[in-house]
Amino acid sequence: MKISNPEKLILLMLSDIYDKLELTNIDTRLLRTAIHTENTWALDWEMPGVVGSDNEPTPDLVIEVINYLDMWSFLEEAFNSFDNSIKERIASEAEPFGRHVKFPGFDGNNEGSAYSIAKILVNEMGRFSRFNGRDLNSHAPLLANYARMYEVFEPIRTGLGIHRTLSPEEVIVILKAMRNRAS
């Protein structure tokens, strides 16, 4: 949904009124955050029909960020389940990215849109709870790295789920893709 400036002002004023009256049937924090960060797609997801009738198509960058968060969830889950000898193998073979297999986030300065999408997904919408409470600012641009990793991860993703997590070999090959191909 595209919200015009006058509509944004009205929604923000209504959220203030809701807060003053202590009404709780609308998440005014999410409403404010979505408007201030230009992530109004989140309102369609969390409050369908409340803030308008025309659903905004989910932006491509939102889908991209969701894919990367999903990939990192699988990477962290698998890595945390391995014993120390396998973790050492991953650290050695996927140097330098295999030592601390933890989602680094997005660069708040150069990847601000991806960063704000991740923050609203995790902190406001309660998605990808594994990353809740973390600093999602990597302080270095990583979108291109994640794209290379996801290219390797996507064909593997279809076989993952309740009965299977990533193998050590899969974790290694995905982490190795984080390297710039030119180097």
Side-chain angles (χ1 to χ4, degrees):
M1 118 194 44
K2 296 290 182 196
I3 301 176
S4 68
N5 284 336
E7 290 170 322
K8 288 178 184 178
L9 182 60
I10 290 168
L11 288 171
L12 291 172
M13 289 170 46
L14 285 173
S15 68
D16 287 341
I17 292 168
Y18 259 71
D19 288 346
K20 293 280 186 213
L21 295 174
E22 298 180 2
L23 301 172
T24 59
N25 58 337
I26 298 226
D27 185 348
T28 56
R29 182 176 165 187
L30 172 65
L31 184 66
R32 282 188 194 92
T33 302
I35 289 171
H36 289 302
T37 63
E38 300 290 323
N39 285 305
T40 54
W41 57 267
L43 300 177
D44 286 335
W45 286 28
E46 297 294 304
M47 300 180 210
V50 171
V51 187
S53 58
D54 294 334
N55 283 353
E56 174 183 342
T58 302
D60 291 341
L61 186 57
V62 173
I63 294 165
E64 198 175 321
V65 168
I66 288 169
N67 287 338
Y68 299 157
L69 291 170
D70 183 55
M71 173 183 67
W72 274 103
S73 293
F74 276 101
L75 283 167
E76 286 188 19
E77 180 184 348
F79 186 78
N80 291 336
S81 73
F82 298 144
D83 65 32
N84 286 339
S85 65
I86 293 174
K87 288 179 180 179
E88 285 302 317
R89 178 176 153 224
I90 292 169
S92 172
E93 292 184 34
E95 179 82 29
F97 306 110
R99 177 106 7 234
H100 302 288
V101 180
K102 187 174 179 183
F103 175 59
F106 299 95
D107 186 12
N109 292 324
N110 299 297
E111 300 168 343
S113 294
Y115 173 67
S116 73
I117 290 167
K119 280 182 60 174
I120 202 165
L121 282 165
V122 173
N123 299 330
E124 304 297 328
M125 297 171 71
R127 314 264 172 125
F128 301 99
S129 58
R130 165 183 298 280
F131 308 120
N132 193 19
R134 291 191 195 174
D135 179 8
L136 299 175
N137 189 348
S138 63
H139 302 285
L142 294 172
L143 275 172
N145 300 63
Y146 297 159
R148 287 190 302 275
M149 294 169 71
Y150 191 76
E151 202 175 293
V152 173
F153 173 76
E154 185 186 27
I156 298 168
R157 172 66 176 98
T158 56
L160 298 175
I162 296 171
H163 302 294
R164 186 176 103 69
T165 61
L166 291 168
S167 69
E169 294 75 23
E170 290 167 330
V171 169
I172 290 166
V173 74
I174 293 166
L175 290 174
K176 280 181 162 183
M178 194 171 194
R179 295 182 189 144
N180 189 333
R181 288 196 176 121
S183 57

